[in-house]
PDB file of all heavy atoms in Angstrom:
ATOM      1  N   GLN A 259     142.908 118.168  74.037  1.00 96.00           N
ATOM      2  CA  GLN A 259     142.869 118.578  75.418  1.00 96.00           C
ATOM      3  C   GLN A 259     144.261 118.163  76.065  1.00 96.00           C
ATOM      4  O   GLN A 259     144.669 117.047  75.895  1.00 96.00           O
ATOM      5  CB  GLN A 259     141.786 117.908  76.206  1.00 96.00           C
ATOM      6  CG  GLN A 259     140.399 118.326  75.806  1.00 96.00           C
ATOM      7  CD  GLN A 259     139.327 117.594  76.515  1.00 96.00           C
ATOM      8  OE1 GLN A 259     139.353 116.357  76.676  1.00 96.00           O
ATOM      9  NE2 GLN A 259     138.293 118.333  77.032  1.00 96.00           N
ATOM     10  N   ARG A 260     144.885 119.148  76.670  1.00 97.00           N
ATOM     11  CA  ARG A 260     146.175 118.913  77.309  1.00 97.00           C
ATOM     12  C   ARG A 260     146.103 119.171  78.835  1.00 97.00           C
ATOM     13  O   ARG A 260     145.635 120.177  79.215  1.00 97.00           O
ATOM     14  CB  ARG A 260     147.197 119.841  76.708  1.00 97.00           C
ATOM     15  CG  ARG A 260     147.588 119.549  75.311  1.00 97.00           C
ATOM     16  CD  ARG A 260     148.804 120.343  74.865  1.00 97.00           C
ATOM     17  NE  ARG A 260     149.199 120.039  73.524  1.00 97.00           N
ATOM     18  CZ  ARG A 260     148.861 120.742  72.440  1.00 97.00           C
ATOM     19  NH1 ARG A 260     148.182 121.832  72.584  1.00 97.00           N
ATOM     20  NH2 ARG A 260     149.303 120.319  71.233  1.00 97.00           N
ATOM     21  N   GLY A 261     146.558 118.210  79.544  1.00 96.00           N
ATOM     22  CA  GLY A 261     146.605 118.322  81.015  1.00 96.00           C
ATOM     23  C   GLY A 261     145.286 118.019  81.673  1.00 96.00           C
ATOM     24  O   GLY A 261     144.207 118.076  81.055  1.00 96.00           O
ATOM     25  N   ARG A 262     145.417 117.555  82.931  1.00 96.00           N
ATOM     26  CA  ARG A 262     144.275 117.148  83.677  1.00 96.00           C
ATOM     27  C   ARG A 262     143.259 118.264  83.908  1.00 96.00           C
ATOM     28  O   ARG A 262     142.032 118.016  83.724  1.00 96.00           O
ATOM     29  CB  ARG A 262     144.690 116.637  85.082  1.00 96.00           C
ATOM     30  CG  ARG A 262     145.402 115.316  84.992  1.00 96.00           C
ATOM     31  CD  ARG A 262     145.895 114.896  86.370  1.00 96.00           C
ATOM     32  NE  ARG A 262     146.687 113.693  86.307  1.00 96.00           N
ATOM     33  CZ  ARG A 262     147.459 113.236  87.315  1.00 96.00           C
ATOM     34  NH1 ARG A 262     147.554 113.991  88.414  1.00 96.00           N
ATOM     35  NH2 ARG A 262     148.155 112.175  87.168  1.00 96.00           N
ATOM     36  N   ALA A 263     143.674 119.460  84.162  1.00 96.00           N
ATOM     37  CA  ALA A 263     142.754 120.583  84.373  1.00 96.00           C
ATOM     38  C   ALA A 263     141.833 120.820  83.165  1.00 96.00           C
ATOM     39  O   ALA A 263     140.694 120.983  83.299  1.00 96.00           O
ATOM     40  CB  ALA A 263     143.456 121.859  84.766  1.00 96.00           C
ATOM     41  N   GLU A 264     142.475 120.796  81.988  1.00 96.00           N
ATOM     42  CA  GLU A 264     141.698 121.011  80.704  1.00 96.00           C
ATOM     43  C   GLU A 264     140.718 119.864  80.474  1.00 96.00           C
ATOM     44  O   GLU A 264     139.600 120.040  80.024  1.00 96.00           O
ATOM     45  CB  GLU A 264     142.679 121.124  79.549  1.00 96.00           C
ATOM     46  CG  GLU A 264     142.007 121.777  78.309  1.00 96.00           C
ATOM     47  CD  GLU A 264     143.048 122.167  77.304  1.00 96.00           C
ATOM     48  OE1 GLU A 264     144.016 122.855  77.612  1.00 96.00           O
ATOM     49  OE2 GLU A 264     142.887 121.711  76.165  1.00 96.00           O
ATOM     50  N   MET A 265     141.151 118.647  80.776  1.00 95.00           N
ATOM     51  CA  MET A 265     140.240 117.477  80.675  1.00 95.00           C
ATOM     52  C   MET A 265     139.052 117.600  81.583  1.00 95.00           C
ATOM     53  O   MET A 265     137.937 117.351  81.188  1.00 95.00           O
ATOM     54  CB  MET A 265     140.992 116.188  80.974  1.00 95.00           C
ATOM     55  CG  MET A 265     141.946 115.704  79.908  1.00 95.00           C
ATOM     56  SD  MET A 265     142.751 114.172  80.521  1.00 95.00           S
ATOM     57  CE  MET A 265     144.321 114.320  79.664  1.00 95.00           C
ATOM     58  N   ILE A 266     139.348 117.949  82.822  1.00 96.00           N
ATOM     59  CA  ILE A 266     138.246 118.069  83.804  1.00 96.00           C
ATOM     60  C   ILE A 266     137.245 119.151  83.365  1.00 96.00           C
ATOM     61  O   ILE A 266     136.050 118.959  83.417  1.00 96.00           O
ATOM     62  CB  ILE A 266     138.839 118.382  85.228  1.00 96.00           C
ATOM     63  CG1 ILE A 266     139.544 117.112  85.738  1.00 96.00           C
ATOM     64  CG2 ILE A 266     137.692 118.792  86.160  1.00 96.00           C
ATOM     65  CD1 ILE A 266     140.323 117.325  86.974  1.00 96.00           C
ATOM     66  N   ALA A 267     137.743 120.283  82.910  1.00 95.00           N
ATOM     67  CA  ALA A 267     136.892 121.365  82.490  1.00 95.00           C
ATOM     68  C   ALA A 267     136.020 120.905  81.303  1.00 95.00           C
ATOM     69  O   ALA A 267     134.774 121.183  81.244  1.00 95.00           O
ATOM     70  CB  ALA A 267     137.664 122.605  82.113  1.00 95.00           C
ATOM     71  N   GLY A 268     136.632 120.295  80.326  1.00 93.00           N
ATOM     72  CA  GLY A 268     135.859 119.753  79.164  1.00 93.00           C
ATOM     73  C   GLY A 268     134.800 118.739  79.538  1.00 93.00           C
ATOM     74  O   GLY A 268     133.675 118.734  79.049  1.00 93.00           O
ATOM     75  N   MET A 269     135.142 117.887  80.482  1.00 93.00           N
ATOM     76  CA  MET A 269     134.154 116.891  80.890  1.00 93.00           C
ATOM     77  C   MET A 269     133.015 117.497  81.662  1.00 93.00           C
ATOM     78  O   MET A 269     131.861 117.094  81.472  1.00 93.00           O
ATOM     79  CB  MET A 269     134.868 115.741  81.707  1.00 93.00           C
ATOM     80  CG  MET A 269     135.779 114.939  80.842  1.00 93.00           C
ATOM     81  SD  MET A 269     136.722 113.688  81.774  1.00 93.00           S
ATOM     82  CE  MET A 269     135.438 112.547  82.174  1.00 93.00           C
ATOM     83  N   ARG A 270     133.334 118.420  82.511  1.00 94.00           N
ATOM     84  CA  ARG A 270     132.276 119.091  83.299  1.00 94.00           C
ATOM     85  C   ARG A 270     131.273 119.828  82.305  1.00 94.00           C
ATOM     86  O   ARG A 270     130.100 119.794  82.550  1.00 94.00           O
ATOM     87  CB  ARG A 270     132.918 120.177  84.240  1.00 94.00           C
ATOM     88  CG  ARG A 270     133.357 119.550  85.547  1.00 94.00           C
ATOM     89  CD  ARG A 270     133.360 120.526  86.700  1.00 94.00           C
ATOM     90  NE  ARG A 270     133.830 119.858  87.865  1.00 94.00           N
ATOM     91  CZ  ARG A 270     135.004 119.953  88.401  1.00 94.00           C
ATOM     92  NH1 ARG A 270     135.881 120.861  87.928  1.00 94.00           N
ATOM     93  NH2 ARG A 270     135.398 119.316  89.476  1.00 94.00           N
ATOM     94  N   ALA A 271     131.845 120.420  81.276  1.00 93.00           N
ATOM     95  CA  ALA A 271     130.963 121.112  80.338  1.00 93.00           C
ATOM     96  C   ALA A 271     130.026 120.146  79.617  1.00 93.00           C
ATOM     97  O   ALA A 271     128.920 120.528  79.205  1.00 93.00           O
ATOM     98  CB  ALA A 271     131.848 121.870  79.320  1.00 93.00           C
ATOM     99  N   ASN A 272     130.436 118.924  79.542  1.00 89.00           N
ATOM    100  CA  ASN A 272     129.594 117.880  78.826  1.00 89.00           C
ATOM    101  C   ASN A 272     128.688 117.131  79.765  1.00 89.00           C
ATOM    102  O   ASN A 272     127.895 116.260  79.311  1.00 89.00           O
ATOM    103  CB  ASN A 272     130.471 116.873  78.108  1.00 89.00           C
ATOM    104  CG  ASN A 272     131.013 117.503  76.824  1.00 89.00           C
ATOM    105  OD1 ASN A 272     130.246 118.147  76.039  1.00 89.00           O
ATOM    106  ND2 ASN A 272     132.267 117.345  76.553  1.00 89.00           N
ATOM    107  N   LEU A 273     128.716 117.347  81.070  1.00 90.00           N
ATOM    108  CA  LEU A 273     127.899 116.595  82.022  1.00 90.00           C
ATOM    109  C   LEU A 273     126.397 116.581  81.649  1.00 90.00           C
ATOM    110  O   LEU A 273     125.779 115.539  81.773  1.00 90.00           O
ATOM    111  CB  LEU A 273     128.111 117.051  83.415  1.00 90.00           C
ATOM    112  CG  LEU A 273     129.344 116.462  84.136  1.00 90.00           C
ATOM    113  CD1 LEU A 273     129.516 117.093  85.536  1.00 90.00           C
ATOM    114  CD2 LEU A 273     129.249 114.973  84.200  1.00 90.00           C
ATOM    115  N   PRO A 274     125.793 117.729  81.277  1.00 89.00           N
ATOM    116  CA  PRO A 274     124.331 117.740  80.994  1.00 89.00           C
ATOM    117  C   PRO A 274     124.020 116.696  79.901  1.00 89.00           C
ATOM    118  O   PRO A 274     122.910 116.149  79.939  1.00 89.00           O
ATOM    119  CB  PRO A 274     124.074 119.155  80.498  1.00 89.00           C
ATOM    120  CG  PRO A 274     125.113 119.956  81.192  1.00 89.00           C
ATOM    121  CD  PRO A 274     126.348 119.050  81.220  1.00 89.00           C
TER     122      PRO A 274
END
Side-chain angles (χ1 to χ4, degrees):
Q259 293 176 314
R260 288 189 177 102
R262 290 178 183 162
E264 197 170 306
M265 285 180 210
I266 290 168
M269 291 175 72
R270 276 204 181 110
N272 282 315
L273 278 177

